[in-house]
CSV table of all heavy atoms in Angstrom, one decimal:
chain,number,residue,atom,x,y,z
A,1,MET,N,-10.5,-10.9,7.2
A,1,MET,CA,-9.2,-10.5,7.3
A,1,MET,C,-8.1,-11.6,7.2
A,1,MET,O,-8.5,-12.6,7.6
A,1,MET,CB,-9.0,-9.9,8.9
A,1,MET,CG,-7.7,-9.4,9.1
A,1,MET,SD,-7.4,-8.7,10.8
A,1,MET,CE,-8.7,-7.6,10.9
A,2,ARG,N,-7.2,-11.2,6.5
A,2,ARG,CA,-6.2,-12.4,6.3
A,2,ARG,C,-4.9,-12.0,7.1
A,2,ARG,O,-4.7,-10.8,7.6
A,2,ARG,CB,-5.8,-12.5,4.9
A,2,ARG,CG,-5.2,-11.3,4.2
A,2,ARG,CD,-5.1,-11.5,2.6
A,2,ARG,NE,-4.8,-10.3,1.9
A,2,ARG,CZ,-3.6,-10.0,1.5
A,2,ARG,NH1,-2.5,-10.8,1.7
A,2,ARG,NH2,-3.2,-8.9,0.8
A,3,THR,N,-4.0,-13.0,7.3
A,3,THR,CA,-2.8,-12.7,8.0
A,3,THR,C,-1.5,-13.0,7.2
A,3,THR,O,-1.5,-13.9,6.3
A,3,THR,CB,-2.7,-13.7,9.2
A,3,THR,OG1,-3.8,-13.4,10.1
A,3,THR,CG2,-1.5,-13.6,10.0
A,4,VAL,N,-0.6,-12.0,7.3
A,4,VAL,CA,0.6,-12.2,6.5
A,4,VAL,C,1.8,-12.2,7.6
A,4,VAL,O,1.9,-11.4,8.5
A,4,VAL,CB,0.9,-11.0,5.6
A,4,VAL,CG1,2.3,-11.1,4.9
A,4,VAL,CG2,-0.1,-10.9,4.5
A,5,GLU,N,2.6,-13.3,7.4
A,5,GLU,CA,3.7,-13.5,8.4
A,5,GLU,C,5.0,-12.8,7.9
A,5,GLU,O,5.3,-12.7,6.7
A,5,GLU,CB,4.0,-15.0,8.5
A,5,GLU,CG,2.9,-15.7,9.2
A,5,GLU,CD,3.4,-17.3,9.4
A,5,GLU,OE1,4.3,-17.7,8.8
A,5,GLU,OE2,2.7,-17.8,10.2
A,6,ILE,N,5.6,-12.3,8.9
A,6,ILE,CA,7.0,-11.6,8.6
A,6,ILE,C,8.0,-12.5,9.4
A,6,ILE,O,7.7,-13.1,10.4
A,6,ILE,CB,7.0,-10.1,8.9
A,6,ILE,CG1,6.6,-9.9,10.4
A,6,ILE,CG2,6.0,-9.3,8.1
A,6,ILE,CD1,6.8,-8.5,10.8
A,7,SER,N,9.2,-12.4,8.9
A,7,SER,CA,10.3,-13.2,9.7
A,7,SER,C,10.8,-12.5,10.9
A,7,SER,O,11.3,-13.1,11.8
A,7,SER,CB,11.4,-13.5,8.8
A,7,SER,OG,11.9,-12.3,8.2
A,8,GLU,N,10.8,-11.0,10.9
A,8,GLU,CA,11.2,-10.4,12.1
A,8,GLU,C,10.7,-9.0,12.1
A,8,GLU,O,10.2,-8.6,11.1
A,8,GLU,CB,12.8,-10.3,12.1
A,8,GLU,CG,13.4,-9.5,10.8
A,8,GLU,CD,15.0,-9.5,11.0
A,8,GLU,OE1,15.5,-10.6,11.3
A,8,GLU,OE2,15.4,-8.4,10.8
A,9,GLU,N,10.5,-8.4,13.3
A,9,GLU,CA,9.9,-7.1,13.3
A,9,GLU,C,10.9,-6.2,13.8
A,9,GLU,O,12.0,-6.6,14.5
A,9,GLU,CB,8.7,-7.2,14.2
A,9,GLU,CG,8.9,-7.7,15.6
A,9,GLU,CD,7.7,-7.8,16.5
A,9,GLU,OE1,6.6,-7.1,16.0
A,9,GLU,OE2,7.7,-8.2,17.6
A,10,PRO,N,10.8,-4.9,13.6
A,10,PRO,CA,9.7,-4.3,12.9
A,10,PRO,C,9.9,-4.3,11.2
A,10,PRO,O,11.0,-4.7,10.9
A,10,PRO,CB,9.7,-2.9,13.2
A,10,PRO,CG,11.1,-2.5,13.6
A,10,PRO,CD,11.7,-3.8,14.2
A,11,ILE,N,8.9,-4.1,10.5
A,11,ILE,CA,8.9,-4.0,9.2
A,11,ILE,C,8.3,-2.6,8.7
A,11,ILE,O,7.4,-2.1,9.3
A,11,ILE,CB,8.2,-5.2,8.4
A,11,ILE,CG1,8.4,-5.1,6.9
A,11,ILE,CG2,6.7,-5.1,8.8
A,11,ILE,CD1,7.8,-6.4,6.2
A,12,ARG,N,9.0,-2.0,7.8
A,12,ARG,CA,8.6,-0.7,7.3
A,12,ARG,C,7.2,-0.9,6.5
A,12,ARG,O,7.0,-2.0,5.8
A,12,ARG,CB,9.6,0.0,6.5
A,12,ARG,CG,10.9,0.4,7.4
A,12,ARG,CD,11.7,1.5,6.6
A,12,ARG,NE,12.1,1.0,5.3
A,12,ARG,CZ,13.2,0.5,5.0
A,12,ARG,NH1,14.1,0.4,5.8
A,12,ARG,NH2,13.3,0.2,3.7
A,13,LEU,N,6.4,0.2,6.6
A,13,LEU,CA,5.1,0.1,5.9
A,13,LEU,C,5.3,-0.2,4.5
A,13,LEU,O,4.5,-1.0,3.9
A,13,LEU,CB,4.3,1.4,6.1
A,13,LEU,CG,3.0,1.5,5.5
A,13,LEU,CD1,2.0,0.4,5.9
A,13,LEU,CD2,2.4,2.8,5.9
A,14,GLY,N,6.0,0.5,3.7
A,14,GLY,CA,6.3,0.4,2.2
A,14,GLY,C,6.7,-1.0,1.9
A,14,GLY,O,6.1,-1.5,1.0
A,15,GLN,N,7.5,-1.6,2.7
A,15,GLN,CA,7.9,-3.0,2.4
A,15,GLN,C,6.7,-4.1,2.6
A,15,GLN,O,6.6,-4.9,1.9
A,15,GLN,CB,9.1,-3.4,3.4
A,15,GLN,CG,10.3,-2.7,3.2
A,15,GLN,CD,11.4,-3.2,4.3
A,15,GLN,OE1,11.1,-3.1,5.4
A,15,GLN,NE2,12.6,-3.6,3.8
A,16,PHE,N,6.0,-3.8,3.8
A,16,PHE,CA,4.9,-4.6,4.0
A,16,PHE,C,3.8,-4.6,3.0
A,16,PHE,O,3.2,-5.6,2.6
A,16,PHE,CB,4.3,-4.3,5.4
A,16,PHE,CG,3.2,-5.2,5.8
A,16,PHE,CD1,3.5,-6.6,6.2
A,16,PHE,CD2,1.8,-4.9,5.7
A,16,PHE,CE1,2.6,-7.4,6.5
A,16,PHE,CE2,0.8,-5.8,6.0
A,16,PHE,CZ,1.2,-7.0,6.4
A,17,LEU,N,3.6,-3.3,2.4
A,17,LEU,CA,2.6,-3.3,1.5
A,17,LEU,C,2.9,-4.1,0.2
A,17,LEU,O,1.9,-4.8,-0.3
A,17,LEU,CB,2.4,-1.8,1.0
A,17,LEU,CG,1.7,-0.8,2.0
A,17,LEU,CD1,1.7,0.5,1.5
A,17,LEU,CD2,0.5,-1.3,2.5
A,18,LYS,N,4.2,-4.2,-0.2
A,18,LYS,CA,4.6,-5.1,-1.1
A,18,LYS,C,4.5,-6.5,-0.9
A,18,LYS,O,4.0,-7.3,-1.5
A,18,LYS,CB,6.0,-4.7,-1.7
A,18,LYS,CG,6.1,-3.3,-2.3
A,18,LYS,CD,7.5,-2.9,-2.7
A,18,LYS,CE,8.4,-2.8,-1.5
A,18,LYS,NZ,9.8,-2.3,-2.0
A,19,LEU,N,5.1,-6.8,0.4
A,19,LEU,CA,5.0,-8.2,0.9
A,19,LEU,C,3.6,-8.7,0.8
A,19,LEU,O,3.4,-10.0,0.5
A,19,LEU,CB,5.6,-8.3,2.2
A,19,LEU,CG,5.5,-9.7,2.9
A,19,LEU,CD1,6.4,-10.7,2.1
A,19,LEU,CD2,6.0,-9.6,4.4
A,20,ALA,N,2.6,-8.0,1.3
A,20,ALA,CA,1.2,-8.4,1.4
A,20,ALA,C,0.4,-8.3,0.1
A,20,ALA,O,-0.8,-8.6,0.2
A,20,ALA,CB,0.5,-7.7,2.6
A,21,ALA,N,1.0,-7.9,-0.9
A,21,ALA,CA,0.5,-7.7,-2.3
A,21,ALA,C,-0.7,-6.7,-2.2
A,21,ALA,O,-1.6,-6.7,-2.9
A,21,ALA,CB,0.0,-9.1,-2.8
A,22,LEU,N,-0.4,-5.7,-1.3
A,22,LEU,CA,-1.4,-4.5,-1.2
A,22,LEU,C,-1.0,-3.5,-2.2
A,22,LEU,O,-1.7,-2.6,-2.6
A,22,LEU,CB,-1.5,-4.0,0.2
A,22,LEU,CG,-2.1,-4.9,1.3
A,22,LEU,CD1,-1.8,-4.5,2.6
A,22,LEU,CD2,-3.5,-5.3,0.9
A,23,ALA,N,0.4,-3.5,-2.7
A,23,ALA,CA,0.9,-2.7,-3.7
A,23,ALA,C,1.7,-3.5,-4.6
A,23,ALA,O,2.3,-4.5,-4.2
A,23,ALA,CB,1.8,-1.7,-3.0
A,24,GLU,N,1.7,-3.0,-5.9
A,24,GLU,CA,2.5,-3.8,-6.8
A,24,GLU,C,4.0,-3.6,-6.9
A,24,GLU,O,4.7,-4.6,-7.0
A,24,GLU,CB,2.0,-3.1,-8.2
A,24,GLU,CG,0.5,-3.5,-8.6
A,24,GLU,CD,-0.1,-2.8,-9.8
A,24,GLU,OE1,0.8,-2.2,-10.5
A,24,GLU,OE2,-1.3,-2.7,-10.0
A,25,ASP,N,4.3,-2.5,-6.4
A,25,ASP,CA,5.8,-2.1,-6.2
A,25,ASP,C,6.0,-1.0,-5.3
A,25,ASP,O,5.1,-0.4,-4.7
A,25,ASP,CB,6.4,-1.9,-7.5
A,25,ASP,CG,5.8,-0.8,-8.4
A,25,ASP,OD1,5.3,0.1,-7.8
A,25,ASP,OD2,5.8,-0.9,-9.7
A,26,GLY,N,7.2,-0.6,-5.1
A,26,GLY,CA,7.5,0.6,-4.2
A,26,GLY,C,6.9,1.9,-4.7
A,26,GLY,O,6.4,2.7,-3.8
A,27,GLY,N,6.7,2.1,-6.0
A,27,GLY,CA,6.1,3.5,-6.5
A,27,GLY,C,4.7,3.4,-6.2
A,27,GLY,O,4.0,4.3,-5.7
A,28,HIS,N,4.0,2.2,-6.3
A,28,HIS,CA,2.6,2.1,-6.0
A,28,HIS,C,2.4,2.3,-4.5
A,28,HIS,O,1.4,3.0,-4.2
A,28,HIS,CB,2.1,0.8,-6.6
A,28,HIS,CG,0.7,0.6,-6.4
A,28,HIS,ND1,0.0,-0.6,-6.0
A,28,HIS,CD2,-0.4,1.5,-6.6
A,28,HIS,CE1,-1.3,-0.6,-6.0
A,28,HIS,NE2,-1.6,0.7,-6.3
A,29,ALA,N,3.2,1.7,-3.8
A,29,ALA,CA,3.1,1.8,-2.2
A,29,ALA,C,3.2,3.3,-1.9
A,29,ALA,O,2.3,3.7,-1.1
A,29,ALA,CB,4.2,1.0,-1.6
A,30,LYS,N,4.1,4.1,-2.5
A,30,LYS,CA,4.3,5.4,-2.2
A,30,LYS,C,3.0,6.3,-2.5
A,30,LYS,O,2.6,7.0,-1.7
A,30,LYS,CB,5.5,6.0,-2.8
A,30,LYS,CG,5.8,7.4,-2.6
A,30,LYS,CD,7.0,7.8,-3.5
A,30,LYS,CE,7.3,9.4,-3.2
A,30,LYS,NZ,8.5,9.8,-3.9
A,31,GLU,N,2.4,5.9,-3.7
A,31,GLU,CA,1.2,6.6,-4.1
A,31,GLU,C,0.1,6.3,-3.2
A,31,GLU,O,-0.6,7.2,-2.7
A,31,GLU,CB,0.9,6.0,-5.4
A,31,GLU,CG,1.7,6.6,-6.6
A,31,GLU,CD,1.3,6.1,-8.0
A,31,GLU,OE1,0.1,5.6,-8.1
A,31,GLU,OE2,2.1,6.0,-8.9
A,32,LEU,N,-0.2,5.1,-2.7
A,32,LEU,CA,-1.3,4.7,-1.8
A,32,LEU,C,-1.1,5.4,-0.5
A,32,LEU,O,-2.0,6.1,0.0
A,32,LEU,CB,-1.2,3.2,-1.5
A,32,LEU,CG,-1.6,2.3,-2.8
A,32,LEU,CD1,-1.4,0.8,-2.4
A,32,LEU,CD2,-3.1,2.5,-3.1
A,33,ILE,N,0.1,5.5,-0.1
A,33,ILE,CA,0.4,6.2,1.3
A,33,ILE,C,0.1,7.7,1.1
A,33,ILE,O,-0.5,8.3,1.9
A,33,ILE,CB,1.9,5.9,1.8
A,33,ILE,CG1,2.0,4.4,2.0
A,33,ILE,CG2,2.1,6.8,2.9
A,33,ILE,CD1,3.4,4.0,2.3
A,34,GLU,N,0.7,8.3,0.0
A,34,GLU,CA,0.5,9.8,-0.2
A,34,GLU,C,-0.9,10.1,-0.3
A,34,GLU,O,-1.3,11.2,0.0
A,34,GLU,CB,1.4,10.2,-1.3
A,34,GLU,CG,3.0,10.3,-1.1
A,34,GLU,CD,3.8,10.7,-2.4
A,34,GLU,OE1,3.2,10.8,-3.4
A,34,GLU,OE2,5.0,10.8,-2.0
A,35,ASP,N,-1.6,9.3,-1.0
A,35,ASP,CA,-3.1,9.5,-1.2
A,35,ASP,C,-4.0,9.4,0.1
A,35,ASP,O,-5.2,9.4,-0.1
A,35,ASP,CB,-3.6,8.7,-2.5
A,35,ASP,CG,-3.0,9.1,-3.8
A,35,ASP,OD1,-2.3,10.3,-3.9
A,35,ASP,OD2,-3.0,8.3,-4.7
A,36,GLY,N,-3.4,8.9,1.1
A,36,GLY,CA,-4.2,8.7,2.4
A,36,GLY,C,-5.0,7.4,2.3
A,36,GLY,O,-6.0,7.3,3.0
A,37,GLU,N,-4.6,6.4,1.4
A,37,GLU,CA,-5.5,5.3,1.3
A,37,GLU,C,-5.0,4.1,2.2
A,37,GLU,O,-5.5,3.0,2.2
A,37,GLU,CB,-5.4,4.8,-0.1
A,37,GLU,CG,-6.2,5.8,-1.0
A,37,GLU,CD,-6.2,5.2,-2.5
A,37,GLU,OE1,-6.6,4.1,-2.6
A,37,GLU,OE2,-6.0,5.9,-3.5
A,38,VAL,N,-3.9,4.3,3.1
A,38,VAL,CA,-3.4,3.2,4.0
A,38,VAL,C,-3.8,3.6,5.3
A,38,VAL,O,-3.5,4.7,5.9
A,38,VAL,CB,-1.8,3.1,3.8
A,38,VAL,CG1,-1.4,2.1,4.7
A,38,VAL,CG2,-1.6,2.9,2.3
A,39,HIS,N,-4.4,2.7,6.0
A,39,HIS,CA,-4.8,2.8,7.5
A,39,HIS,C,-4.0,1.8,8.2
A,39,HIS,O,-4.0,0.6,7.8
A,39,HIS,CB,-6.3,2.6,7.7
A,39,HIS,CG,-7.2,3.6,7.2
A,39,HIS,ND1,-7.4,3.8,5.8
A,39,HIS,CD2,-7.7,4.8,7.6
A,39,HIS,CE1,-8.0,4.8,5.5
A,39,HIS,NE2,-8.4,5.4,6.7
A,40,VAL,N,-3.4,2.2,9.3
A,40,VAL,CA,-2.8,1.2,10.3
A,40,VAL,C,-3.4,1.4,11.5
A,40,VAL,O,-3.5,2.4,12.2
A,40,VAL,CB,-1.3,1.5,10.4
A,40,VAL,CG1,-0.5,0.6,11.4
A,40,VAL,CG2,-0.5,1.4,9.0
A,41,ASN,N,-3.9,0.4,12.0
A,41,ASN,CA,-4.7,0.3,13.4
A,41,ASN,C,-5.7,1.3,13.4
A,41,ASN,O,-6.0,1.9,14.5
A,41,ASN,CB,-3.8,0.3,14.5
A,41,ASN,CG,-2.7,-0.8,14.6
A,41,ASN,OD1,-3.0,-1.9,14.2
A,41,ASN,ND2,-1.6,-0.5,14.9
A,42,GLY,N,-6.4,1.5,12.2
A,42,GLY,CA,-7.5,2.4,12.3
A,42,GLY,C,-7.3,3.9,12.0
A,42,GLY,O,-8.2,4.7,11.8
A,43,ALA,N,-6.1,4.2,11.9
A,43,ALA,CA,-5.7,5.6,11.7
A,43,ALA,C,-5.0,5.7,10.1
A,43,ALA,O,-4.2,4.9,9.8
A,43,ALA,CB,-4.9,6.2,12.6
A,44,VAL,N,-5.1,6.8,9.5
A,44,VAL,CA,-4.4,7.0,8.2
A,44,VAL,C,-2.9,7.2,8.5
A,44,VAL,O,-2.6,7.9,9.5
A,44,VAL,CB,-4.9,8.4,7.6
A,44,VAL,CG1,-4.1,8.6,6.3
A,44,VAL,CG2,-6.5,8.2,7.1
A,45,GLU,N,-2.1,6.5,7.8
A,45,GLU,CA,-0.7,6.5,8.0
A,45,GLU,C,0.0,7.1,6.7
A,45,GLU,O,-0.3,6.6,5.6
A,45,GLU,CB,-0.1,5.1,8.2
A,45,GLU,CG,1.4,5.1,8.5
A,45,GLU,CD,2.0,6.1,9.6
A,45,GLU,OE1,1.6,5.6,10.8
A,45,GLU,OE2,2.4,7.0,9.3
A,46,VAL,N,0.8,8.2,7.0
A,46,VAL,CA,1.3,8.9,5.7
A,46,VAL,C,2.8,8.7,5.7
A,46,VAL,O,3.5,9.3,4.9
A,46,VAL,CB,1.0,10.5,5.8
A,46,VAL,CG1,-0.6,10.5,5.6
A,46,VAL,CG2,1.4,11.0,7.1
A,47,ARG,N,3.4,7.9,6.5
A,47,ARG,CA,4.9,7.7,6.6
A,47,ARG,C,5.2,6.3,6.0
A,47,ARG,O,4.9,5.3,6.6
A,47,ARG,CB,5.3,7.8,8.1
A,47,ARG,CG,5.2,9.1,8.8
A,47,ARG,CD,5.5,9.0,10.2
A,47,ARG,NE,4.6,8.1,10.8
A,47,ARG,CZ,4.8,7.3,11.9
A,47,ARG,NH1,6.0,7.4,12.5
A,47,ARG,NH2,4.0,6.4,12.5
A,48,ARG,N,5.8,6.3,4.9
A,48,ARG,CA,6.2,5.1,4.3
A,48,ARG,C,7.1,4.3,5.0
A,48,ARG,O,7.2,3.0,5.1
A,48,ARG,CB,6.8,5.3,2.9
A,48,ARG,CG,7.1,4.2,2.1
A,48,ARG,CD,7.5,4.5,0.7
A,48,ARG,NE,8.8,5.1,0.5
A,48,ARG,CZ,9.4,5.5,-0.6
A,48,ARG,NH1,8.7,5.5,-1.7
A,48,ARG,NH2,10.5,6.1,-0.5
A,49,GLY,N,7.9,4.9,5.9
A,49,GLY,CA,8.9,4.2,6.8
A,49,GLY,C,8.3,3.8,8.2
A,49,GLY,O,9.0,3.5,9.0
A,50,ALA,N,7.0,4.0,8.4
A,50,ALA,CA,6.4,3.8,9.7
A,50,ALA,C,6.8,2.3,10.1
A,50,ALA,O,6.7,1.4,9.2
A,50,ALA,CB,4.9,4.0,9.6
A,51,GLN,N,7.1,2.0,11.3
A,51,GLN,CA,7.4,0.8,11.8
A,51,GLN,C,6.2,0.0,12.1
A,51,GLN,O,5.4,0.4,13.1
A,51,GLN,CB,8.4,0.8,12.9
A,51,GLN,CG,9.7,1.5,12.7
A,51,GLN,CD,10.7,0.9,11.6
A,51,GLN,OE1,11.0,-0.2,12.0
A,51,GLN,NE2,10.9,1.5,10.5
A,52,LEU,N,6.1,-1.3,11.6
A,52,LEU,CA,4.9,-2.2,11.9
A,52,LEU,C,5.5,-3.3,12.7
A,52,LEU,O,6.5,-3.9,12.5
A,52,LEU,CB,4.3,-2.6,10.7
A,52,LEU,CG,3.8,-1.4,9.7
A,52,LEU,CD1,3.2,-2.2,8.4
A,52,LEU,CD2,2.9,-0.6,10.4
A,53,ARG,N,4.5,-3.8,13.6
A,53,ARG,CA,4.9,-5.0,14.4
A,53,ARG,C,3.8,-6.0,14.5
A,53,ARG,O,2.6,-5.8,14.0
A,53,ARG,CB,5.2,-4.4,15.9
A,53,ARG,CG,6.2,-3.3,15.9
A,53,ARG,CD,6.6,-3.1,17.4
A,53,ARG,NE,7.7,-2.1,17.4
A,53,ARG,CZ,9.0,-2.3,17.1
A,53,ARG,NH1,9.4,-3.6,16.9
A,53,ARG,NH2,9.9,-1.3,17.2
A,54,HIS,N,4.0,-7.1,15.1
A,54,HIS,CA,3.1,-8.1,15.3
A,54,HIS,C,1.8,-7.6,15.9
A,54,HIS,O,1.8,-6.8,16.8
A,54,HIS,CB,3.7,-9.2,16.2
A,54,HIS,CG,2.8,-10.3,16.6
A,54,HIS,ND1,2.6,-11.4,15.8
A,54,HIS,CD2,1.9,-10.5,17.6
A,54,HIS,CE1,1.7,-12.2,16.2
A,54,HIS,NE2,1.2,-11.7,17.4
A,55,GLY,N,0.7,-8.0,15.2
A,55,GLY,CA,-0.7,-7.6,15.7
A,55,GLY,C,-1.2,-6.3,15.0
A,55,GLY,O,-2.4,-6.1,15.0
A,56,ASP,N,-0.4,-5.5,14.3
A,56,ASP,CA,-0.8,-4.3,13.7
A,56,ASP,C,-1.8,-4.9,12.4
A,56,ASP,O,-1.6,-5.9,11.9
A,56,ASP,CB,0.4,-3.5,13.1
A,56,ASP,CG,1.1,-2.8,14.2
A,56,ASP,OD1,0.5,-2.6,15.3
A,56,ASP,OD2,2.2,-2.3,13.9
A,57,VAL,N,-2.7,-4.0,12.2
A,57,VAL,CA,-3.7,-4.3,11.1
A,57,VAL,C,-3.6,-3.2,10.1
A,57,VAL,O,-3.7,-1.9,10.5
A,57,VAL,CB,-5.1,-4.3,11.7
A,57,VAL,CG1,-6.1,-4.5,10.4
A,57,VAL,CG2,-5.3,-5.4,12.7
A,58,VAL,N,-3.3,-3.5,8.9
A,58,VAL,CA,-3.2,-2.6,7.7
A,58,VAL,C,-4.3,-2.7,6.8
A,58,VAL,O,-4.6,-3.9,6.4
A,58,VAL,CB,-1.9,-2.8,7.0
A,58,VAL,CG1,-1.8,-1.9,5.8
A,58,VAL,CG2,-0.7,-2.6,8.0
A,59,VAL,N,-5.0,-1.7,6.5
A,59,VAL,CA,-6.2,-1.8,5.5
A,59,VAL,C,-5.8,-0.8,4.4
A,59,VAL,O,-5.5,0.3,4.6
A,59,VAL,CB,-7.4,-1.2,6.3
A,59,VAL,CG1,-8.7,-1.3,5.3
A,59,VAL,CG2,-7.7,-2.1,7.5
A,60,VAL,N,-6.0,-1.3,3.2
A,60,VAL,CA,-5.9,-0.7,1.9
A,60,VAL,C,-7.1,-0.9,1.1
A,60,VAL,O,-7.3,-2.1,0.8
A,60,VAL,CB,-4.6,-0.9,1.1
A,60,VAL,CG1,-4.5,-0.3,-0.2
A,60,VAL,CG2,-3.3,-0.6,2.0
A,61,GLN,N,-7.9,0.1,0.8
A,61,GLN,CA,-9.1,-0.2,0.0
A,61,GLN,C,-10.0,-1.3,0.3
A,61,GLN,O,-10.4,-2.1,-0.5
A,61,GLN,CB,-8.7,-0.2,-1.6
A,61,GLN,CG,-7.9,1.0,-2.0
A,61,GLN,CD,-7.3,0.8,-3.4
A,61,GLN,OE1,-7.0,-0.2,-3.8
A,61,GLN,NE2,-7.1,2.0,-4.0
A,62,GLY,N,-10.3,-1.4,1.7
A,62,GLY,CA,-11.0,-2.5,2.1
A,62,GLY,C,-10.3,-3.8,2.3
A,62,GLY,O,-10.9,-4.8,2.9
A,63,ASP,N,-9.1,-4.0,1.9
A,63,ASP,CA,-8.4,-5.2,2.1
A,63,ASP,C,-7.8,-5.1,3.5
A,63,ASP,O,-6.7,-4.4,3.6
A,63,ASP,CB,-7.4,-5.4,1.0
A,63,ASP,CG,-6.8,-6.8,0.9
A,63,ASP,OD1,-7.2,-7.6,1.9
A,63,ASP,OD2,-6.1,-7.2,0.0
A,64,GLU,N,-8.1,-5.9,4.5
A,64,GLU,CA,-7.5,-6.0,5.9
A,64,GLU,C,-6.5,-7.0,5.9
A,64,GLU,O,-6.8,-8.2,5.8
A,64,GLU,CB,-8.6,-6.1,6.9
A,64,GLU,CG,-9.6,-5.0,6.9
A,64,GLU,CD,-10.6,-5.1,8.1
A,64,GLU,OE1,-10.1,-5.4,9.2
A,64,GLU,OE2,-11.9,-5.1,7.8
A,65,VAL,N,-5.4,-6.6,6.5
A,65,VAL,CA,-4.2,-7.7,6.8
A,65,VAL,C,-3.7,-7.5,8.0
A,65,VAL,O,-3.3,-6.3,8.5
A,65,VAL,CB,-3.2,-7.5,5.7
A,65,VAL,CG1,-2.0,-8.5,5.9
A,65,VAL,CG2,-3.6,-7.6,4.3
A,66,ARG,N,-3.6,-8.6,8.9
A,66,ARG,CA,-2.9,-8.5,10.2
A,66,ARG,C,-1.6,-9.1,10.1
A,66,ARG,O,-1.3,-10.0,9.4
A,66,ARG,CB,-3.7,-9.4,11.1
A,66,ARG,CG,-3.1,-9.3,12.6
A,66,ARG,CD,-4.0,-10.1,13.5
A,66,ARG,NE,-5.5,-9.9,13.6
A,66,ARG,CZ,-5.8,-8.9,14.3
A,66,ARG,NH1,-5.1,-8.0,15.1
A,66,ARG,NH2,-7.2,-8.5,14.3
A,67,ILE,N,-0.6,-8.4,10.7
A,67,ILE,CA,0.8,-8.8,10.7
A,67,ILE,C,1.1,-9.9,11.8
A,67,ILE,O,0.6,-9.7,13.0
A,67,ILE,CB,1.7,-7.7,11.0
A,67,ILE,CG1,1.6,-6.6,9.9
A,67,ILE,CG2,3.2,-8.1,11.1
A,67,ILE,CD1,2.2,-5.4,10.1
A,68,SER,N,1.8,-11.0,11.5
A,68,SER,CA,2.2,-11.9,12.4
A,68,SER,C,3.6,-12.4,12.2
A,68,SER,O,4.0,-12.2,11.1
A,68,SER,CB,1.2,-13.2,12.1
A,68,SER,OG,1.7,-14.3,13.0
A,69,VAL,N,4.2,-12.5,13.3
A,69,VAL,CA,5.7,-12.9,13.3
A,69,VAL,C,5.8,-14.3,13.3
A,69,VAL,O,5.3,-15.0,14.2
A,69,VAL,CB,6.5,-12.1,14.4
A,69,VAL,CG1,8.0,-12.7,14.3
A,69,VAL,CG2,6.4,-10.7,14.3
A,70,ARG,N,6.6,-14.9,12.4
A,70,ARG,CA,6.9,-16.4,12.3
A,70,ARG,C,7.6,-16.7,13.6
A,70,ARG,O,8.6,-16.0,14.0
A,70,ARG,CB,7.7,-16.7,11.2
A,70,ARG,CG,7.1,-16.9,9.9
A,70,ARG,CD,7.9,-17.5,8.8
A,70,ARG,NE,7.5,-16.7,7.5
A,70,ARG,CZ,8.3,-16.0,6.9
A,70,ARG,NH1,9.5,-16.0,7.0
A,70,ARG,NH2,7.8,-15.5,5.7
A,71,PRO,N,7.2,-17.8,14.3
A,71,PRO,CA,7.9,-18.2,15.5
A,71,PRO,C,9.3,-18.8,15.2
A,71,PRO,O,9.6,-19.2,14.2
A,71,PRO,CB,7.0,-19.4,16.1
A,71,PRO,CG,6.0,-19.7,15.1
A,71,PRO,CD,6.1,-18.7,14.0
């Protein structure tokens, strides 16, 4: 599992997928979410605007990323 730092929370799921390089762009992020391929804290997340916070874990196709907020 890798960690990706964000400058402030919350961050929307679609934005985070791009930041963490889990999606190539916004359209790709939307496709991944609509196809049920994005899990947040172990559950499928279908809302592109879902609010993510420090400690949340996002998984896309086996790639696990934990969110951390820069101090």
Side-chain angles (χ1 to χ4, degrees):
M1 179 182 308
R2 62 189 171 100
T3 300
V4 172
E5 290 186 343
I6 59 175
S7 57
E8 59 182 50
E9 58 182 350
I11 185 171
R12 291 193 314 252
L13 178 59
Q15 290 176 310
F16 183 75
L17 292 176
K18 293 182 290 183
L19 176 68
L22 294 168
E24 297 169 12
D25 54 33
H28 185 220
K30 182 178 178 181
E31 287 177 25
L32 290 169
I33 294 166
E34 287 177 351
D35 291 345
E37 296 188 40
V38 179
H39 292 75
V40 177
N41 299 327
V44 174
E45 181 56 74
V46 295
R47 299 169 298 146
R48 190 167 68 180
Q51 302 290 301
L52 304 178
R53 300 188 182 284
H54 177 80
D56 285 343
V57 176
V58 178
V59 180
V60 176
Q61 300 172 339
D63 193 358
E64 294 183 49
V65 181
R66 181 179 309 275
I67 298 171
S68 176
V69 177
R70 280 185 217 126

